[in-house]
Amino acid sequence: MFKILKKCDTTKARRAQLETAHGVIQTPVFMPVGTQATVKSLTPQQIEDTGAQIILGNTYHLNIRPTSELIARFGGLHGFMKWNKPILTDSGGFQAFSLSKLRKISEEGIQFNSHLDGKKLFISPESCMQIQKNLGSDICMVLDECIPYPCKENACKLSVERTLRWAKRCYDEYIRLELPQAKRLAFGIVQGSCYKHLREMCAQELSKIDFPGFAIGGVSVGEPEEQMLYQVEISANQLPENKPRYVMGVGTPPQILKMIALGADMFDCVMPTRLARHACAFTLDGEINLKNARFAEDHSPLDEEIPSYASNFSRAYIRHLVKANEMLACTLLSIHNITFFQILTQQAREHIEKGDFAEWSNAWIKRYTAQKG
């Protein structure tokens, strides 16, 4: 199911592949975020053309609207949105963090007041897995509690212990629903905030459950980057070598390369499309903002070394679209930005195979961050 093909000699980076019901995923991999069964401003064909192997949906949002039962009647997310490659769904646990004013957490699960109309929605570990079965997820995430940063150690300990109990309930439901037989995968999630012993304990206890994969959650929620990378490192060090490791909700291109070097395999982030909606493009020499007047007569593409459909257009033209508030600006910038992340992880795979990942990665980061030096 998960096969490591090559390891880096000087870092913990690894090149692997993960088999799912809708195809084999080559890792390291970046996954575009499609919270509402759509990657904003892009068609499924445009997403596929970026090189994306897998996208995300969200259990909380899709169960509120249009409901997982309706989606199931269309053949799950794949049939509903016409995406034929793998889909990972977040459990709704992160919404317990991001919608903290609209939820109440108990041992049984999370009670939400819908952010749309205030209607009550309860997600338990069991219903979380049932909803994801309806969605037809290739990779289901367990229900967890993403605790804010900073937090008190005792509050974090209680949260981690509840997350572990929820993980076991999710796994039991995963087995009861016979999802393994359908090649549907379930990932446990490591929490523990900035407390080393709690993260290690969480990872060790989760590893006793036979999840097909594991995620590292609760990072990039306000802590400094150095602390975030440390949390990833100590979590990854305690997780099984023969299972995929997914860092949830991060990060910048340099962060992704640094986390690959720490032994992480999978990443997702809204950054490529979110920054596209704010006229920003990723380039090998750092981010650029197309609102800037210096691009008004710039004939060059967004990045000559990142080939995509957006490469057909000049920076000047895309800036014009931005200034005119044309929707095409967001589409072209989203295509470019997601392609950028796909090429980044593709090159990471190639250099792990080649045996020079560390040297290439360091040089890549140095170039990308030079403008900020």
Side-chain angles (χ1 to χ4, degrees), residues 259-326:
M259 289 184 287
I260 290 173
L262 295 174
D265 307 295
M266 304 170 67
F267 312 90
D268 80 281
C269 191
V270 298
M271 190 179 300
T273 47
R274 179 171 289 171
L275 288 188
R277 297 195 296 276
H278 290 85
C280 291
F282 289 90
T283 80
L284 292 172
D285 297 302
E287 307 99 64
I288 59 173
N289 190 320
L290 273 296
K291 293 178 182 178
N292 291 343
R294 66 189 176 97
F295 299 117
E297 296 189 36
D298 192 334
H299 290 257
S300 60
L302 294 171
D303 191 316
E304 292 179 351
E305 299 176 58
I306 305 295
S308 74
Y309 178 74
S311 303
N312 293 306
F313 305 94
S314 66
R315 293 177 174 184
Y317 176 67
I318 297 176
R319 180 181 186 274
H320 157 68
L321 297 175
V322 168
K323 299 297 287 185
N325 292 319
E326 287 290 343

Side-chain angles (χ1 to χ4, degrees), residues 94-273:
F94 182 74
Q95 277 64 51
F97 166 80
S98 61
L99 301 175
S100 58
K101 295 181 180 179
L102 300 175
R103 58 81 176 146
K104 182 177 180 180
I105 298 175
S106 69
E107 184 63 28
E108 289 307 306
I110 308 172
Q111 178 76 58
F112 291 98
N113 291 325
S114 167
H115 67 290
L116 298 176
D117 57 12
K119 183 178 178 180
K120 291 189 181 301
L121 167 69
F122 183 76
I123 299 180
S124 68
E126 292 77 16
S127 67
C128 170
M129 303 310 290
Q130 292 160 3
I131 293 167
Q132 291 180 87
K133 180 182 181 181
N134 287 343
L135 297 177
S137 313
D138 293 274
I139 302 176
C140 311
M141 304 308 299
V142 302
L143 187 66
D144 65 323
E145 181 182 356
C146 179
I147 197 163
Y149 176 90
C151 61
K152 298 290 187 181
E153 181 178 347
N154 189 57
C156 185
K157 180 175 182 292
L158 293 174
S159 174
V160 167
E161 290 171 345
R162 178 162 48 221
T163 286
L164 286 170
R165 291 191 294 271
W166 283 357
K168 182 61 168 63
R169 288 169 57 187
C170 282
Y171 183 79
D172 290 345
E173 186 67 8
Y174 167 69
I175 297 299
R176 192 189 73 80
L177 293 172
E178 299 183 341
L179 294 178
Q181 289 87 324
K183 289 189 177 179
R184 311 291 181 179
L185 312 181
F187 282 21
I189 303 176
V190 178
Q191 293 288 350
S193 188
C194 60
Y195 297 102
K196 179 176 183 289
H197 64 290
L198 293 178
R199 280 205 172 266
E200 289 180 335
M201 180 271 287
C202 189
Q204 290 166 3
E205 291 301 313
L206 278 176
S207 299
K208 296 176 183 177
I209 307 173
D210 192 24
F211 285 111
F214 296 89
I216 300 169
V219 297
S220 193
V221 292
E223 76 277 17
E225 180 181 289
E226 182 179 346
Q227 179 62 240
M228 180 196 75
L229 293 172
Y230 180 62
Q231 292 175 42
V232 171
E233 180 178 20
I234 60 179
S235 301
N237 285 346
Q238 300 297 322
L239 291 172
E241 175 73 13
N242 63 341
K243 301 285 182 75
R245 303 167 185 153
Y246 159 37
V247 184
M248 304 180 74
V250 292
T252 66
Q255 287 171 351
I256 287 175
L257 291 180
K258 291 174 183 178
M259 289 184 287
I260 290 173
L262 295 174
D265 307 295
M266 304 170 67
F267 312 90
D268 80 281
C269 191
V270 298
M271 190 179 300
T273 47

